Amino acid sequence: PAFGPGSGRGPGGFGGGPGGAMMHGKAEKAKNFKGSLRRLLSYLKPHRMRLFFVFLLAVASTTFTISAPKISGQVMNKVKDSFMARMLLDQMTKLQKTMRSGMSAQAAAAAEPSPNAPMDPALGAALARFAAIPDLSSISDPATQAEALRDFMIFLEGLPPQAAALMPAGPSSPAFAGMKFTKEQIQDALRAVEETGGKVDYPGIGMILGFLLCFYLLSALFTFGSGWLMSTVAQRTVYDLRKAVDRKLGRLPLAYFDSHSHGEILSRVSNDIDSISGTLQQSVTQAITSVISLVGYVIMMLTISWGLTLIVLATMPLYIIATMALAKNSQKHFKAQQKELGAISGHIEEMYSGHAVVKAFGREKRALAEFDEINQKLSSASWKANFISGILHPAMNTISNLGYVLISVVGGMWMTRAWLNLGDITAFIQYSRQFTMPIIQTANIANIIQSTIACAERVFEVLDEAEEEEDSVGASMPAQAQGEVSINSLAFSYNPAEPLIRDLSLDVRKGHTIAIVGPTGAGKTTLVNLLMRFYEIQAGSISIDGADIRTMPRSGLRALFGMVLQDTWLFNGSIRENIAYGRTEASEEEIVQAAKAAHADHFIRTLPSGYDTLLFEDASNISQGQRQLLTIARAILANPRILILDEATSSVDTRTEFLIQKAMAALMQDRTSFVIAHRLSTIRDAELILVMDHGAIVEQGNHRELLEKKGFYAELYNAQFTGALVESA
């Protein structure tokens, strides 16, 4: 899970640079990382070509983005060179004019030598050299201008003190002061003059800016292309994975669903697969771009200055130390936060779902006190966790600013020595500021991939579950199903150490109603599950119309049965669609007749849209009894040869139950029925009542016969009607 609540894994969920860094907690680890990763990659094999283009587009996009700062630095260098050349030429031209006016008088004096003031030989040589330098203002060719400027600057470097003292503007003059240049500065200045001639190269700058714009557009286009292709790959891969899981769930035995909670199965099918989808769609391309960016930034910084690059790399241990220290200290608080968050959610759900009971027992104050206690713990843990994780932002900024200051100082010193250009410094600063972003992104992605493989492993566990046994070769249905059921020496147990059904034998004739009664855990529902092959028989046999059910295809066998359970199941759709679930081709008249037979027609017509009324996913917009009537109508419409009623009338009132029983009695003529009941008054008309206890039939007969035996059934029956009176007496 992400480090702290709200640190999403969607777009923008990864840290960007020191200022945008986000920490992640310890990733959930897979049991077999390599094997699960290899298996997940096998689902990507059909999309190899698309993934290849995703890689190429991601590389191209990142390369263009990495190149942009250095290209923009070239623009700045051109502007700086033209400005420096223009300023230098203007200053040198002005100085040259000043010196010419001063030295012209010296030249006139030299033409009329005086015995009292003879001409200094050094001064004469300086005047001769100065006279040989062309006038800078009269030169238009940049190369010639640079050559004349070089001669003039060399002349200034070797100018004797006598000449400076005789100039109208003496050594203290601003025009003359500061005219000492290093060799590197002279070379850089002459290069700028030679390349620009003191003029801004607008066509060249425009061309560079055009290239830069094209780079950004191409980068955006390639990013869009890689994202589009990766989305296609991710969705098709997840589609294949979901389809495989859906098919697998259809082939799993009932034992799997009995041994796994619905929430766990739904989490694997939905949440875990969604996590895989998000990782494939976002993290794959980001992993590619992060690695390429990291390598590219280092290469580009090295091309600018290896010395400054070492300064940037020297700050990396500080990032690692800060991240590890903060993560270690905040992890325990986030763990406590999640624990208290679950506790407060459970408390609120309990109190609101059972608010009537809370009020009835006067426990409101106690409930509020418990809430305040949990809420205080949650608030404390959340504050500590978020405060410590929030320190990462300024900590990373501080480290980044430290590197920025060092780079600026050292880079500025090197620029004054003409070892680096201004554009190179600005480009390097951009690279150094962005350098930490791919490192943090890569760490986050590694964390996410670890958790994603764990999610994939849970999905693969579903795909690896043992399936129902294949239908036997040559499996077929009886030519004409009559509904006669024969059970011979049946044995079954969920746990080999604790047998449930032992040596059970029974013959059920066509059209008979068989009631199965007994205490909880006697094996009543298990017997029904074995009849429909939800569980496989371990010993003995079950035959329908003389054919062993193991020789029948499961789909054909289950089509013989209609089932109405105590726990109703209705899907999100109209009432008409729910009734016709077992026979989608049924006509409107048949649907209405089934509803009338189940005594559901009246309440259906009182609803605003009648048979077109839409039911919610849990059918909460109708009562429990009405839901039960609809499931009975659904079973009636399916018109099965064998009907199974598992406490089917437990949620309806006594009068409706009596009417349903009459309708069932008329409907089930010449059809076999198995009725599981705890309310024994509902099975008095059954031809045969099986009394089960600990997996065995302890009594059998009709209602009257069993009461006359005064055995186990009589005790159950009398307990329901006389137990309360006996206790009160």
Side-chain angles (χ1 to χ4, degrees), residues 240-287:
D240 294 338
L241 195 58
R242 280 199 179 101
K243 186 167 63 174
V245 172
D246 181 66
R247 290 177 177 175
K248 183 70 177 186
L249 291 176
R251 297 192 297 265
L252 289 177
L254 185 63
Y256 175 80
F257 299 97
D258 286 345
S259 59
H260 294 77
S261 68
H262 293 172
E264 179 188 354
I265 296 173
L266 289 174
S267 177
R268 296 184 183 217
V269 174
S270 58
N271 296 341
D272 289 339
I273 292 182
D274 286 343
S275 176
I276 296 171
S277 173
T279 300
L280 290 178
Q281 190 162 331
Q282 300 167 18
S283 300
V284 171
T285 52
Q286 196 158 30

Side-chain angles (χ1 to χ4, degrees), residues 29 33 84 136 292 328 343-344 368 389 392 407:
K29 293 185 178 180
F33 182 86
M84 182 178 66
L136 294 175
I292 296 173
K328 182 178 180 180
I344 200 170
L368 288 174
S389 64
L392 182 66
I407 292 170

